[in-house]
Amino acid sequence: SSSSSSERHSGPPADGTRAGWEQVCRFQDPEPADLSMEEESDTRKINNSFLRDHNYATEADIISTVEFNSSGELLATGDKGGRVVVFQREQESKSQPQRRGEYNVYSTFQSHEPEFDYLKSLEIEEKINKIKWLPQQNAAYFLLSTNDKTVKLWKISERDKRPEGYNLKDDDGRIRDPSTITSLRVPVLQPMDLMVEATARRVFSNAHTYHINSISVNSDLQTFISTDDLRVNLWNLEITDRSFNIVDIKPANMEELTEVITSAEFHPQQCHTFAYSSSKGSIRLCDMRQAALCDKHCKYFEEPEDPSTRSFFSEIISSISDVKFSHNGRYLMTRDYLTVKVWDLQMENKPLETYQVHDYLRGKLCSLYENDCIFDKFECVWNGSDSVIMTGSYNNFFRMFDRNTKRDVTLEASRENSKPRAILKPRKVCVGGKRRKDEISVDSLDFSKKILHTTWHPHENIIAVAATNNLYIFQDKVN
Amino acid sequence: MITTMECAVDAQSLISISLMKIHNSRTQRGGIKLHKNLLVSYVLRNARQVYIKEKYAEIYRMQQYEEVMTVCNEIQELNPLDLDAEDADNEEQARAACCGEEMSLCDPACHKGAAQSAAHVRTASTLLGCSPFEDGSKAAEPSDYRSCCMEASPVSHFDQFSADNNRHCNKTTVLDLDTHVVTTVENGYLHQDCCCNPPQCGQEAQSPGKKRKVEFGCCISDMEEISDFTAARKRAKREDCSYSNPDYTDTSNISNLISIFGSGFSGLLSRQADLEQICSKQALASLGAWTRAIVAF
């Protein structure tokens, strides 16, 4: 590939949807055997016919969450097998400028294992539901990862020196016979090959009866919340044997249950404010200063249902699958099955903006219900400047909406359709009438290829997109 | 205002699909997902409302038709020559009225008749605790249960529906997973279980007899979330249908019905009982044929 000499700003483009997105690298699980030794992540080598013809992905390799850290230097993925893989951005190097922006595997560890709750005869899945990074405070990196029941704090640190010259044991660790020691020496630190190790520093368990769907680190960097279907719990990062329940929507009589909590997030700046979304399509903003139990919201965001679109599946498609504060803290974004909505925190009765992600699916809800796709939980993300929002769809499509220009684009994350370093071509779904050459009809969409998880670099136009067991990293070449 | 759906959405098949999903969720890894099952229950409720509405409209129409025919026959039996002029007038008026009504009832397309039946359906629905539908005049043809979409139900809240239907605790709808036929069970007896005369709707004080309350969920009943969820579905939503599905006449099919509400028989079953054990002879024999049915709520 030719090295690009185009200038690159670090700020967002004027129109995020007109950016030229190119594929930086792609990681696939499992790695084919002949490449596992190499750290080369150039897609030219990965993209060969062997992989295309033999896809050995198992369900455990399906990526279930992706998250950039707050500097964008690290990218973490979690999968259904309970593994976390952390990628690190290639450092800028004058000799190889084209490699800037590529991510390499930095650390891999098993975060959660399958468990069996003997008391309840329940198997607890090891699938990583969410990963959230803590802002970096020292040389080590910290992240929270969670499955359905347990949150863990992981420390990822580098070791490039080790002490050598002990007196009582030799360098291999064998105990020396004291009678053979004739002189004493002071151990010194000697350089060694860089080793990245991950250790579990805290385990926050036994606080959730229902399935954890989200975690969120507070801006005070001391607390975080974990959320299940009916409750939100507040933890101190240092204390694992206690948590405070701050929201509980479990009715006294479970027969009266009408909604569950689907996601919760702390406000990015106000450490006393958090929001949680519900399966009924509403969002509640809560202030922890008002009461110990934040069952009473201070703001309630809901758009009345349009009776003309009522169907058997109205409740399902209005359930919110993800809620995200904008970086500036003034807006909320929610994702339901067919739309993304941006809410102004000052306006509760209707969203500021509504974007149709794939409205052509509205007529297919019955079959999507039968094959369970209607329950897919898509996530949504803001870009660093809150001007562009992105979310996934089917057929490995993902969509970007520019809030200023009102333009949108559909892109595809797939091996077949993207050559390394080539600019992604916008895709279009044909909804009726004559299908143009490059368009794809609704009936040809592959509903097994869904993009549920995406993340956007906090400062630059670099995005990571998870497509089943593949991780794609794209960057904007135009701007 | 009805949203056009790509596939023909049959309320009955949606009910069976939904029940299968709930059933399958019991064996899914990671335990029952409360959120998904709640959403499935909404679809179930929506489909059931449409199904009941269509069924009731059909049954009501049939009932009205029979009553009108009975009245007309009775009038015709009287010797017209014995009546004085006034009676003859009345009789003719009555005949015209009932025939007119009969015609309008038989022709749902007739606006007047449809409006009348709509009014009746609405009133009856209110009495029976069903959520009133705004446009009862759109009731489907008796033989056609298909509806592209359900009409808006303004008061169809989950809990309200539950509260309303608690008044009527003597009828349940059952679904045969083999034939996907929905049947009504009233007062603990299937229509076919009774001898000759099926009880009229609400007219007889039948002894409840058999246990109606079947718990939804799974055999694992001691966990907080599972027992909560089963309790949530414990009180099966009662509906009022006066007649069973007339197509369902084969009583031997009852033995094919399987129960997924094993925790209702917790005294007889172990916690890890699978479906075969739930249908154990012991359980079946002691609780009667109809309780083996799956209760749709």
Side-chain angles (χ1 to χ4, degrees):
Chain A
S1 65
S2 60
S3 64
S4 164
S5 57
S6 64
E7 283 187 10
R8 229 173 288 188
H9 331 133
S10 53
D15 181 345
T17 62
R18 300 193 97 149
W21 292 97
E22 67 158 13
Q23 181 177 309
V24 174
C25 40
R26 182 183 66 88
F27 299 94
Q28 176 173 334
D29 244 336
E31 292 289 346
D34 56 338
L35 292 178
S36 59
M37 294 299 125
E38 295 186 58
E39 293 196 354
E40 177 61 67
S41 59
D42 191 321
T43 53
R44 284 173 301 179
K45 292 196 179 175
I46 295 175
N47 202 0
N48 57 38
S49 60
F50 173 78
L51 280 177
R52 217 176 276 134
D53 296 331
H54 305 88
N55 192 350
Y56 294 115
T58 61
E59 194 175 315
D61 300 318
I62 295 173
I63 298 171
S64 49
T65 186
V66 278
E67 189 83 3
F68 276 108
N69 74 339
S70 47
S71 66
E73 181 203 354
L74 297 181
L75 173 68
T77 63
D79 65 22
K80 275 197 170 182
R83 270 191 332 163
V84 171
V85 181
V86 179
F87 301 86
Q88 187 186 43
R89 194 170 184 188
E90 185 90 16
Q91 294 306 313
E92 185 138 8
S93 144
K94 289 198 170 52
S95 58
Q96 287 184 309
Q98 75 277 14
R99 291 185 67 97
R100 165 104 165 116
E102 285 188 16
Y103 283 78
N104 304 314
V105 176
Y106 181 63
S107 172
T108 303
F109 56 94
Q110 188 72 32
S111 170
H112 287 72
E113 299 273 5
E115 287 174 55
F116 196 77
D117 182 334
Y118 293 94
L119 200 61
K120 299 176 182 176
S121 292
L122 256 193
E123 193 180 359
I124 300 168
E125 277 190 284
E126 67 276 26
K127 173 171 78 94
I128 308 294
N129 292 334
K130 281 281 155 48
I131 289 175
K132 284 285 152 75
W133 290 94
L134 268 61
Q136 199 174 2
Q137 288 176 297
N138 53 36
Y141 305 102
F142 288 88
L143 61 79
L144 287 172
S145 73
T146 185
N147 68 349
D148 283 339
K149 296 289 181 182
T150 304
V151 185
K152 294 187 183 179
L153 175 69
W154 287 91
K155 175 183 177 183
I156 301 160
S157 50
E158 293 179 7
R159 189 194 291 265
D160 60 357
K161 297 183 189 44
R162 64 163 181 225
E164 283 178 20
Y166 281 101
N167 294 289
L168 294 177
K169 60 181 180 182
D170 61 26
D171 288 338
D172 296 331
R174 282 190 297 255
I175 308 291
R176 290 171 72 188
D177 181 3
S179 59
T180 65
I181 299 170
T182 55
S183 62
L184 290 177
R185 56 188 177 169
V186 177
V188 292
L189 289 173
Q190 298 288 353
M192 58 179 258
D193 290 339
L194 178 68
M195 195 171 77
V196 181
E197 49 185 18
T199 47
R201 301 297 298 198
R202 306 271 188 277
V203 177
F204 305 92
S205 55
N206 297 321
H208 287 280
T209 311
Y210 302 91
H211 296 102
I212 296 176
N213 50 52
S214 51
I215 47 176
S216 178
V217 182
N218 202 348
S219 50
D220 66 5
L221 305 185
Q222 291 180 6
T223 54
F224 72 94
I225 49 174
S226 58
T227 307
D228 67 30
D229 291 317
L230 298 179
R231 299 186 175 105
V232 180
N233 291 335
L234 178 72
W235 302 83
N236 184 303
L237 282 162
E238 300 295 327
I239 301 169
T240 59
D241 61 354
R242 241 174 307 155
S243 75
F244 290 99
N245 174 244
I246 56 175
V247 176
D248 188 340
I249 66 166
K250 186 179 176 186
N253 192 350
M254 274 297 271
E255 296 183 40
E256 292 153 17
L257 180 74
T258 57
E259 67 181 325
V260 297
I261 302 173
T262 52
S263 187
E265 198 185 41
F266 266 117
H267 191 279
Q269 285 92 36
Q270 297 169 15
C271 58
H272 48 77
T273 302
F274 67 96
Y276 68 92
S277 57
S278 87
S279 56
K280 274 196 168 173
S282 65
I283 309 101
R284 288 170 177 81
L285 201 70
C286 300
D287 187 331
M288 294 198 292
R289 299 170 298 185
Q290 280 183 345
L293 195 56
C294 301
D295 281 355
K296 285 194 173 34
H297 52 267
C298 58
K299 289 204 185 186
Y300 180 78
F301 300 85
E302 191 179 40
E303 183 175 32
E305 186 195 346
D306 179 6
S308 69
T309 58
R310 177 120 190 98
S311 75
F312 288 110
F313 311 105
S314 292
E315 287 85 0
I316 300 188
I317 64 172
S318 62
S319 175
I320 292 176
S321 52
D322 195 17
V323 64
K324 292 267 172 46
F325 278 98
S326 61
H327 290 95
N328 58 22
R330 286 167 48 202
Y331 306 105
L332 266 178
M333 171 166 53
T334 57
R335 175 72 153 95
D336 52 54
Y337 191 63
L338 297 177
T339 72
V340 185
K341 293 177 180 165
V342 174
W343 303 77
D344 187 324
L345 288 189
Q346 308 304 320
M347 186 166 66
E348 297 169 54
N349 60 337
K350 63 178 163 89
L352 194 62
E353 300 148 22
T354 302
Y355 301 92
Q356 302 295 332
V357 181
H358 38 214
D359 200 58
Y360 46 77
L361 295 184
R362 201 178 281 274
K364 281 187 153 288
L365 291 180
C366 186
S367 15
L368 292 167
Y369 178 71
E370 284 184 59
N371 64 15
D372 268 4
C373 281
I374 206 174
F375 300 104
D376 287 334
K377 295 185 181 166
F378 292 94
E379 294 169 6
C380 52
V381 287
W382 299 87
N383 75 338
S385 63
D386 300 330
S387 61
V388 182
I389 58 180
M390 175 170 68
T391 189
S393 178
Y394 292 104
N395 210 75
N396 280 347
F397 287 170
F398 57 100
R399 305 258 284 139
M400 290 182 187
F401 301 91
D402 189 303
R403 299 178 57 220
N404 301 322
T405 66
K406 301 303 177 195
R407 283 206 174 90
D408 62 83
V409 69
T410 304
L411 301 170
E412 182 179 357
S414 84
R415 257 180 288 154
E416 290 78 18
N417 293 319
S418 62
K419 293 192 173 61
R421 302 291 173 180
I423 304 292
L424 287 182
K425 205 173 58 162
R427 303 303 307 265
K428 191 140 165 57
V429 177
C430 164
V431 294
K434 203 159 166 353
R435 185 180 77 88
R436 290 207 198 103
K437 194 174 80 111
D438 288 339
E439 291 180 355
I440 181 167
S441 71
V442 178
D443 294 317
S444 312
L445 294 173
D446 187 344
F447 289 98
S448 70
K449 293 188 176 156
K450 52 194 85 172
I451 293 186
L452 306 172
H453 314 288
T454 61
T455 183
W456 204 307
H457 191 288
H459 312 301
E460 300 186 34
N461 279 339
I462 301 173
I463 57 175
V465 172
T468 320
N469 64 323
N470 287 284
L471 177 73
Y472 290 85
I473 300 177
F474 300 103
Q475 75 177 10
D476 173 22
K477 282 295 268 182
V478 167
N479 298 279
Chain B
M1 78 128 207
I2 294 177
T3 306
T4 48
M5 307 281 258
E6 201 186 65
C7 57
V9 181
D10 181 356
Q12 199 162 342
S13 66
L14 264 189
I15 290 173
S16 69
I17 291 168
S18 303
L19 287 175
M20 281 306 295
K21 284 190 193 297
I22 294 171
H23 169 60
N24 290 335
S25 75
R26 297 175 52 217
T27 49
Q28 261 166 16
R29 231 184 131 221
I32 291 184
K33 305 271 189 276
L34 185 62
H35 184 199
K36 182 177 177 186
N37 281 280
L38 182 68
L39 296 178
V40 170
S41 72
Y42 273 114
V43 175
L44 201 47
R45 180 205 64 163
N46 294 341
R48 187 170 165 272
Q49 284 175 349
V50 171
Y51 177 78
I52 290 168
K53 182 192 141 213
E54 292 170 344
K55 202 85 163 76
Y56 188 79
E58 175 222 346
I59 287 164
Y60 178 78
R61 241 197 314 280
M62 277 163 48
Q63 196 175 14
Q64 286 299 102
Y65 180 79
E66 285 179 19
E67 284 175 10
V68 163
M69 285 308 293
T70 310
V71 168
C72 285
N73 289 339
E74 285 169 1
I75 291 171
Q76 282 174 343
E77 280 165 14
L78 300 171
N79 193 338
L81 299 175
D82 291 338
L83 302 169
D84 56 28
E86 194 187 346
D87 285 339
D89 263 2
N90 289 342
E91 173 211 301
E92 276 172 19
Q93 278 175 13
R95 195 184 309 170
C98 76
C99 288
E101 188 172 322
E102 167 204 327
M103 274 177 58
S104 64
L105 279 169
C106 291
D107 179 11
C110 168
H111 179 69
K112 177 176 170 230
Q116 274 183 328
S117 63
H120 284 127
V121 168
R122 201 174 299 130
T123 312
S125 296
T126 316
L127 283 175
L128 293 159
C130 297
S131 307
F133 290 87
E134 287 172 335
D135 44 354
S137 57
K138 284 187 186 169
E141 295 291 326
S143 58
D144 176 17
Y145 297 127
R146 294 185 178 272
S147 65
C148 279
C149 174
M150 52 171 287
E151 289 81 0
S153 328
V155 218
S156 52
H157 289 298
F158 202 48
D159 42 12
Q160 183 168 347
F161 192 53
S162 161
D164 286 343
N165 278 300
N166 288 340
R167 299 204 302 266
H168 311 280
C169 34
N170 55 359
K171 291 177 181 54
T172 27
T173 297
V174 299
L175 169 72
D176 182 341
L177 275 190
D178 293 316
T179 64
H180 291 174
V181 168
V182 183
T183 314
T184 302
V185 174
E186 60 172 328
N187 292 329
Y189 294 89
L190 270 175
H191 182 168
Q192 291 76 12
D193 282 349
C194 307
C195 43
C196 327
N197 303 320
Q200 293 293 317
C201 171
Q203 284 177 9
E204 290 185 14
Q206 293 272 358
S207 62
K210 306 298 185 199
K211 173 170 168 302
R212 302 162 284 99
K213 201 179 281 193
V214 193
E215 287 170 28
F216 162 81
C218 57
C219 302
I220 309 163
S221 54
D222 286 350
M223 299 154 286
E224 180 193 346
E225 73 273 24
I226 305 302
S227 58
D228 286 341
F229 197 58
T230 55
R233 308 290 171 253
K234 195 186 247 195
R235 209 181 307 162
K237 309 279 190 292
R238 319 291 180 245
E239 67 214 86
D240 186 273
C241 281
S242 40
Y243 303 101
S244 350
N245 188 333
D247 296 330
Y248 191 82
T249 52
D250 186 0
T251 54
S252 66
N253 279 344
I254 296 169
S255 63
N256 294 330
L257 298 177
I258 55 174
S259 169
I260 60 172
F261 305 112
S263 52
F265 312 130
S266 55
L268 300 166
L269 301 167
S270 68
R271 196 185 264 206
Q272 300 293 339
D274 61 11
L275 220 47
E276 284 67 39
Q277 284 176 284
I278 292 170
C279 301
S280 69
K281 272 194 178 173
Q282 195 183 11
L284 300 174
S286 63
L287 293 160
W290 73 272
T291 60
R292 286 171 281 165
I294 296 165
V295 179
F297 55 88

